[in-house]
Amino acid sequence: MSFFAYTTPFASNPVQTKAEVAQYLVGLLDPLAPTPPPGVLVSTSASPLEGFSRPIWGLASLLAGGGSYPGVERWVRGFANGTDPDHEEFWGNMRSKDQRMVECSAIGFALAVAREHIWDPLPDEGKRHLEEWLGGMNDKEMPNTNWLWFRVFANLGLSKVGSPRFDAKRMKADLDHLDTFYIGEGWSRDGPEGVVQLDYYSSSFAIQYAQLVYSKLAQNEDPERCEEFRNRARKFAFDFVRYFDEEGRGIPFGRSLTYRAAMSSFWGALAFADVDLPAPLTWGVVKGLQLRNLLLHRALPPESHPFWASPEEPYPAALLNTVQPLYKPLHIATNLGGHTYVLSSGQQCSYPVKQSAAKYGKFAYSSAFGYSVPVGALTLEEHGADSALALSADGGETWKLRRETKQARIEHGRWLRSIPPTPDAPLWHLRVHRIRTARALLSAEGGWAIYGQGTDDRALEPAAGEAFGTLESGSAARAASKAGVSGIVELRERPSRKGRAMRTDANTNLMVPRAVMPTLMDEHEPGLGDVWLATAVFGLPSVAGQEGAAPGWEAEWNKRPVIPEAIASLMA
């Protein structure tokens, strides 16, 4: 065992039953006791309130599901103090586009499902302060995004406790506007027309999750909309299941991935909302997707729900070894050959966000290899340009990567100029680029970044065959380690394109602290017309419990893919 290995309070918890999931939650809530929640902290920022409210999703679910938690008094006290304008721990009133609005969603949910534990113990003055504070967002401007759901939940909570601050007109207007984000096949974009952002916010983080919870809590008051939300979820589930692999890992994509426990909350919300599952999904499959992801789902169904009664089932066999175009999010999902990932082109964040080129602009995102983000703005090693084509116009001093995609479409199940894997070469995908330049350029195209240490925890060294190590040979490069194998090859005769097993800077990759990124380097002189690059990318992750790819992987490495004739003719 590594000197730096450690255990967590959850290590011995199998997380299979409702009681074990509740125990998992208590393990998250208990460590918060030594540090009083806001309402016991003085701060002019919304950050302490965020720390106070986010655990409420789990706490309220536990209480609503018949559980108990002795520390609930801390939150009741926090509500009383934090919403009292005369108290030193007052959170501050909300302004337009205020981060405090975000935290109202969890608070409204708690009032709706756990009133007797959260609302009823408050003194009359505390109730008045809380409803005034929560209702204070009804006349404020909000971002034209999933944020509108936060006000819906605030009003939903106020309605469930009979507050005069409940604004039915405002809630309906917000819901009607949120419905304009819907684009079909179960998917909603995170904003108005023109926004091409369909990440976890438009699924498990916010929109899909919120729709499902609303469909449960507002069934009596808004039955037609609630049924529409459940229908959307049924359609969405067919696509969303492809973002998870057999081990339960979700494909990292987009921003805010520190919300680890939220990536798979859609599956728990399906159970909470009592959605009739479409085949091949069963409650055993959904339970497996949720619990294998080692995440705490937000809304606990009752003990009698088939979610708990069903034995955990593996990933649906009918969905294994498939390639599936997902037209709404502009992804092609595949798990052919045992590697789950999406090819991606066309999404971008609709507002400035840190490292958006890495979060939305990569060519592919993997459940096993994740993706990398820059730790600096200069060298290629700092950028961590995996699954990307980086260009430099100053001799390698600085590099640029794709951030905004002007045109993208799926043709015949494949990206224009990019090809998913085929049964003949299941561990490869293709990328085709055309470069036309009036100035000298350097190019660097990265494959999957992979764990870059050997069995002795030292950096990988050159090795042949299937041994752990790196290989650089002409226009090819690869790396093999306990995480599996990653490689990249230029398919055409282009001697100037050199393979390099590049060590990226520490902590660029989301999955591992030290990574190697097989890369193809090239130089491009100005004024030479069209230059075509045909890149084949190889990836085979290790299976849980094993170190390294399964023996015999080198035979798959030698099965080089073929450029389809329709694209090869364009390159002639």
Side-chain angles (χ1 to χ4, degrees), residues 27-107:
L28 294 172
L29 296 176
D30 280 350
L32 302 177
T35 303
V40 214
L41 293 173
V42 180
S43 175
T44 57
S45 76
S47 297
L49 174 57
E50 184 174 348
F52 171 80
S53 70
R54 300 303 169 92
I56 294 173
W57 285 109
L59 174 64
S61 298
L62 176 67
L63 299 173
S68 62
Y69 184 67
V72 67
E73 186 275 334
R74 301 198 304 272
W75 277 270
V76 175
R77 178 163 48 93
F79 282 129
N81 295 348
T83 60
D84 183 353
D86 296 324
H87 200 283
E88 63 176 358
E89 298 162 359
F90 180 50
W91 296 331
N93 288 316
M94 278 178 275
R95 301 175 180 176
S96 293
K97 299 183 178 181
D98 195 328
Q99 176 66 27
R100 290 166 178 81
M101 294 173 167
V102 180
E103 313 317 319
C104 294
S105 188
I107 295 171

Side-chain angles (χ1 to χ4, degrees), residues 2 80 128 136 163-164 218 227 240 262 290 360 383 421 461 467:
S2 169
R128 180 173 60 82
S163 171
E227 182 58 27
F240 194 53
Q290 179 75 82
Y360 295 91
H383 274 283
E461 296 186 350

Side-chain angles (χ1 to χ4, degrees), residues 153-484:
F153 269 80
N155 276 302
L156 186 62
L158 290 170
S159 73
K160 295 298 184 181
V161 299
S163 171
R165 293 291 280 150
F166 165 53
D167 190 334
K169 183 178 180 180
R170 166 56 70 189
M171 186 168 78
K172 183 180 184 303
D174 286 340
L175 286 164
D176 288 346
H177 186 74
L178 283 162
D179 278 343
T180 68
F181 295 176
Y182 184 62
I183 60 174
E185 298 181 28
W187 285 88
S188 293
R189 58 179 175 257
D190 193 7
E193 187 173 357
V195 170
V196 191
Q197 188 176 346
L198 296 95
D199 51 18
Y200 285 102
Y201 273 95
S202 55
S203 53
S204 268
F205 287 2
I207 295 177
Q208 279 288 345
Y209 178 79
Q211 289 178 166
L212 282 168
V213 175
Y214 180 87
S215 76
K216 176 74 170 183
L217 300 179
Q219 173 60 36
N220 293 335
E221 298 80 10
D222 196 2
E224 290 186 10
R225 196 191 308 265
C226 289
E227 182 58 27
E228 169 63 17
F229 287 165
R230 287 189 288 270
N231 285 333
R232 292 180 190 178
R234 293 183 188 99
K235 297 174 183 176
F236 177 78
F238 278 121
D239 285 354
F240 194 53
V241 67
R242 298 180 184 277
Y243 288 81
F244 295 83
D245 65 16
E246 292 178 78
E247 298 178 25
R249 294 174 298 195
I251 297 174
F253 173 77
R255 67 186 185 94
S256 300
L257 294 183
T258 52
Y259 296 162
R260 296 175 184 273
M263 288 181 70
S264 66
S265 58
F266 169 78
W267 303 114
L270 278 178
F272 180 74
D274 295 315
V275 174
D276 294 329
L277 298 177
L281 298 180
T282 66
W283 285 118
V285 168
V286 168
K287 182 178 182 179
L289 288 165
Q290 179 75 82
L291 300 186
R292 279 195 302 273
N293 200 233
L294 299 179
L295 301 177
L296 175 66
H297 60 280
R298 302 305 203 217
L300 295 176
E303 194 80 48
S304 60
H305 196 282
F307 180 96
W308 298 116
S310 302
E312 183 178 327
E313 297 177 22
Y315 196 89
L319 303 181
L320 293 175
N321 286 304
T322 60
V323 176
Q324 181 65 39
L326 308 176
Y327 290 92
K328 296 303 180 181
L330 296 171
H331 285 161
I332 296 179
T334 177
N335 51 29
L336 206 61
H339 183 194
T340 298
Y341 61 97
V342 294
L343 300 178
S344 181
S345 194
Q347 286 205 43
Q348 51 256 336
C349 201
S350 58
Y351 43 84
V353 64
K354 182 169 62 176
Q355 299 168 339
S356 64
K359 295 170 182 176
Y360 295 91
K362 300 282 177 95
F363 300 129
Y365 296 85
S366 165
S367 69
F369 302 129
Y371 66 89
S372 301
V373 295
V375 295
L378 297 176
T379 68
L380 199 56
E381 290 81 0
E382 290 176 84
H383 274 283
D386 57 343
S387 298
L389 179 67
L391 299 174
S392 173
D394 56 12
E397 180 70 17
T398 57
W399 295 82
K400 297 284 189 178
L401 284 73
R402 179 177 74 165
R403 184 185 67 84
E404 182 179 1
T405 304
K406 298 297 185 181
Q407 290 185 332
R409 65 182 183 269
I410 299 175
E411 290 187 346
H412 309 297
R414 63 175 180 258
W415 288 115
L416 186 67
R417 310 288 192 270
S418 184
I419 314 297
T422 65
D424 293 334
L427 299 177
W428 295 88
H429 70 270
L430 302 183
R431 310 174 194 154
V432 178
H433 312 284
R434 180 175 62 179
I435 295 179
R436 184 183 299 163
T437 180
R439 53 183 173 168
L441 292 176
L442 299 180
S443 68
E445 184 168 9
W448 305 110
I450 191 171
Y451 181 67
Q453 309 301 103
T455 55
D456 58 358
D457 286 337
R458 294 178 179 270
L460 292 176
E461 296 186 350
E466 296 189 353
F468 289 177
T470 62
L471 175 69
E472 299 177 347
S473 177
S475 295
R478 77 180 187 210
S481 71
K482 67 179 184 181

